[in-house]
Amino acid sequence: MERVAIVGIAQTKYQRISPSSHDEMAFEVTREALDDAGLEITDIDNTVTCTNDFWDGRTISCMTITDATGSSNVPTTNVEGDGTYGVLMGLMRILSGHFNRTLIVAQSKGSVGISNLITNAIFDPLFERMLGLDAVNSAALQARRYMTKFGITPEQCAKASVKNHKNAQKNPYAQLPLDISVEDVLNSKMLADPIRLLDTSPISDGACAIILARESDSKKCRNKPIWIKGVGHSTDTYHLGDRDLADVSVLATAAKTAYDMAGIKNPKEVINIAEIYDAFSYMELMWTEGLGFCERGEGGDLIDSGETQIGGSLPVNPSGGVLSAHAVLAAGMARIAEVVLQLRGTAEDRQVRGAKVGLAHGIEGACGQGHCVFVLGS
Amino acid sequence: MTIELGNTGSRIHESRIKLQYNWWLGKIAGRFYEEIRDRCKIWGIKCPQCNLVFVPPKDNCPKCFCKMNEWIELSGTGILTTYTIVRYPVPMIQPVEPPFPLGIIHLDGADTGLIHLLGEIDIDQIEVGMRMQAVFKEKREGNLLDIKYFKPVRA
């Protein structure tokens, strides 16, 4: 594979209600990513946007941010899904040989709609939607299944929330920097057993932009290039009842593809920092299993060990993760942006010392139906 | 309507999208709901290659990609594999007032789970592994809520 670098990144601060409109957020991150890369909009030869009509409340909503991303009269396409898939498409465009520098922009304003109504529409109208399923109660079905199958405790899940909100205190972009205890999580309001308020990610407004360049075009850029070493993605069946919700085989497939491409045999030894899509506290535990950071069913032991703390052997979500800011669509791309900061060595107070290889992970659909895994290296 | 948002320095414009959709059941879901409506029977469909029985039924096996044709009548009882109790209100989408339990029931003779409401049980007494049975509504219309809920099988 020809080497492709991440040469520019930008994030807005994530907020419950941003005073900016969709366009204003998209322009802000586009402009800042160009400045970060030391490029101008005329250096960009194609754009990928990540938008979703239900979240945006508009039909073919990608067309509405063409102007704000400087994309009129350039080849532009859209990914209706998580930002990691947008970066994947951007990568594929460069690898096609037809493009040199790709701008990818993801934005969403959770504050404009009603999250439960929007996520109810994920589900099959004939077999599931009438039950009132949404992102929270479907995750609760998965959490219960995972915790029952492997004996994972609410305390172990709560530890992911405590760790990530604490990490968020050192991330200026995070929405929910919190100094909380396991007891605080266990005493927070029960939403859908076993999921409590502090087990969930917030509703957020925010945007993220990333600029990719082929190796020969990356040299003129301002920052040292961060290389895409491997990528993998895989998708499970649609209906929740057709899956074993505690099974992480699909994530393991995506991860193996990414590791093979990057020449990684033992991810736990090689990866120095991971940013993963913890939309709920239990998800961090499950995804660490699927990514091969521990054996199946041992996600609880891994969080107990402290190895995923910022000073541990494999820090997970030093940014505070999705639990601390969840701008849907931008959230997976933010994982990539945070890993880039870590590998550049510019993650400030949340910097993991000596990070050389990082992993970023995004999900799609209910209960992690789809997974996209990036391995990045300096 | 435009509303001032306190000290955020911004304002919101309120609007609503109202759209009607008419979902065609297709042959498979059509037959599935017809059996429930007319005979209070739950049917699954079997993959000719891997022999897995899917309920709700579908046209092709998601694993083998085979066309499925063999309908299997199920008893309407099975095991609760996971559940939750929904404690927050979302009036436009929830079928009953919260708190209400939802679960996935692995029906006897099927290899997949059916998500549905649980009923006739104290919400503090629900346990994974309980045997459950379908309770049908008196007046049925040919949709998912013709099954009123799943209740525990009393010994």
Side-chain angles (χ1 to χ4, degrees):
Chain A
M1 180 167 104
E2 184 185 2
R3 294 217 296 176
V4 175
I6 298 175
V7 296
I9 57 159
Q11 301 178 73
T12 60
K13 178 173 170 54
Y14 303 102
Q15 301 172 76
R16 177 65 184 82
I17 299 174
S18 160
S20 302
S21 67
H22 289 97
D23 294 11
E24 289 164 351
M25 291 194 317
F27 177 67
E28 178 187 332
V29 291
T30 300
R31 186 63 259 168
E32 282 184 19
L34 289 166
D35 293 343
D36 182 57
L39 296 172
E40 276 308 320
I41 195 71
T42 46
D43 296 317
I44 300 296
D45 60 13
N46 77 108
T47 306
V48 178
T49 54
C50 302
T51 67
N52 176 288
D53 292 2
F54 266 73
W55 285 103
D56 285 356
R58 304 173 189 223
T59 304
I60 319 185
S61 58
C62 54
M63 292 297 158
T64 66
I65 58 164
T66 308
D67 298 357
T69 55
S71 305
S72 57
N73 208 22
V74 284
T76 302
T77 191
N78 188 64
V79 167
E80 188 266 332
D82 183 61
T84 47
Y85 290 83
V87 177
L88 173 68
M89 183 182 279
L91 169 68
M92 291 194 284
R93 285 187 136 198
I94 290 177
L95 293 176
S96 76
H98 293 284
F99 300 101
N100 301 314
R101 295 196 193 97
T102 307
L103 165 71
I104 308 120
V105 181
Q107 55 79 32
S108 88
K109 283 180 72 75
S111 66
V112 307
I114 298 170
S115 150
N116 305 88
L117 297 184
I118 293 167
T119 58
N120 176 249
I122 294 171
F123 295 98
D124 189 319
L126 301 180
F127 293 116
E128 295 170 330
R129 216 182 272 184
M130 294 169 88
L131 300 170
L133 283 167
D134 59 28
V136 176
N137 57 38
S138 60
L141 293 172
Q142 182 171 45
R144 170 91 61 197
R145 170 70 187 139
Y146 170 61
M147 293 165 75
T148 306
K149 184 170 180 178
F150 295 115
I152 304 288
T153 65
E155 288 77 8
Q156 289 173 317
C157 296
K159 282 181 185 176
S161 176
V162 171
K163 168 178 72 70
N164 293 353
H165 286 299
K166 184 177 170 199
N167 290 347
Q169 292 180 301
K170 294 183 172 171
N171 178 2
Y173 300 109
Q175 179 181 335
L176 283 183
L178 297 174
D179 181 16
I180 51 170
S181 65
V182 167
E183 289 68 34
D184 291 331
V185 179
L186 298 179
N187 291 326
S188 65
K189 188 178 175 186
M190 186 65 91
L191 299 179
D193 314 44
I195 288 182
R196 294 176 182 273
L197 181 64
L198 286 172
D199 290 308
T200 68
S201 50
I203 294 165
S204 310
D205 288 358
C208 183
I210 280 179
I211 298 170
L212 303 180
R214 67 170 68 246
E215 181 163 19
S216 51
D217 276 282
S218 65
K219 305 221 163 74
K220 300 173 230 174
C221 296
R222 203 163 64 86
N223 286 298
K224 72 171 178 181
I226 300 300
W227 303 104
I228 297 176
K229 301 274 195 184
V231 63
H233 58 113
S234 192
T235 307
D236 209 337
T237 53
Y238 173 51
H239 288 111
L240 297 185
D242 290 353
R243 300 189 230 159
D244 177 350
L245 292 177
D247 185 59
V248 288
S249 302
V250 167
L251 172 55
T253 301
K256 184 173 187 313
T257 308
Y259 297 154
D260 286 351
M261 203 182 285
I264 292 175
K265 293 205 166 42
N266 188 346
K268 204 181 163 185
E269 303 293 313
V270 176
I271 293 166
N272 308 124
I273 177 258
E275 285 281 340
I276 69 180
Y277 209 109
D278 54 333
F280 297 90
S281 59
Y282 78 90
M283 280 189 178
E284 179 168 305
L285 279 56
M286 267 187 84
W287 305 157
T288 54
E289 295 175 19
L291 291 166
F293 298 169
C294 59
E295 297 298 318
R296 303 285 172 95
E298 292 182 0
D301 298 331
L302 182 64
I303 193 92
D304 284 343
S305 74
E307 286 181 47
T308 56
Q309 303 262 6
I310 211 159
S313 59
L314 176 41
V316 173
N317 289 327
S319 70
V322 177
L323 281 169
S324 303
H326 192 180
V328 177
L329 310 178
M333 203 191 287
R335 310 277 65 73
I336 296 176
E338 282 292 325
V339 172
V340 168
L341 290 175
Q342 292 284 351
L343 300 182
R344 283 179 183 172
T346 57
E348 300 179 330
D349 293 346
R350 61 194 184 285
Q351 180 67 45
V352 172
R353 249 194 242 169
K356 296 273 186 289
V357 179
L359 178 142
H361 160 248
I363 64 174
E364 284 255 87
C367 300
Q369 186 189 350
H371 294 268
C372 187
V373 177
F374 276 86
V375 176
L376 308 180
S378 52
Chain B
M1 186 167 62
T2 303
I3 299 168
E4 300 285 344
L5 272 188
N7 59 4
T8 60
S10 194
R11 297 181 301 159
I12 56 172
H13 169 72
E14 254 189 7
S15 78
R16 180 179 289 266
I17 299 174
K18 280 188 183 169
L19 297 169
Q20 164 114 17
Y21 288 89
N22 298 305
W23 300 99
W24 290 88
L25 271 66
K27 287 183 213 127
I28 305 283
R31 177 165 171 188
F32 178 72
Y33 284 124
E34 206 174 275
E35 287 292 330
I36 289 176
R37 183 191 63 197
D38 299 344
R39 283 175 279 280
C40 292
K41 293 285 183 196
I42 300 174
W43 287 71
I45 200 162
K46 187 174 179 178
C47 171
Q49 191 161 309
C50 68
N51 292 320
L52 292 179
V53 176
F54 292 86
V55 63
K58 58 188 74 192
D59 204 21
N60 71 277
C61 176
K63 298 186 199 309
C64 310
F65 204 60
C66 290
K67 172 93 178 162
M68 298 196 283
N69 282 314
E70 190 186 346
W71 286 79
I72 306 286
E73 186 183 334
L74 304 170
S75 65
T77 58
I79 302 271
L80 184 68
T81 60
T82 184
Y83 70 94
T84 185
I85 296 146
V86 184
R87 297 181 188 269
Y88 51 88
V90 189
M92 285 165 69
I93 56 168
Q94 292 177 344
V96 289
E97 295 267 307
F100 65 92
L102 278 176
I104 300 185
I105 300 98
H106 193 127
L107 289 172
D108 301 338
D111 293 288
T112 65
L114 186 67
I115 309 175
H116 219 290
L117 301 164
L118 310 180
E120 293 183 43
I121 186 167
D122 185 334
I123 55 174
D124 299 323
Q125 304 292 316
I126 305 171
E127 279 178 39
V128 170
M130 291 178 102
R131 287 199 61 76
M132 309 296 288
Q133 74 181 81
V135 176
F136 296 89
K137 275 204 320 208
E138 203 124 305
K139 190 166 172 263
R140 295 178 300 278
E141 300 160 51
N143 64 46
L144 185 64
L145 298 181
D146 282 354
I147 302 174
K148 200 172 172 187
Y149 44 67
F150 280 79
K151 70 169 186 181
V153 177
R154 311 278 175 208

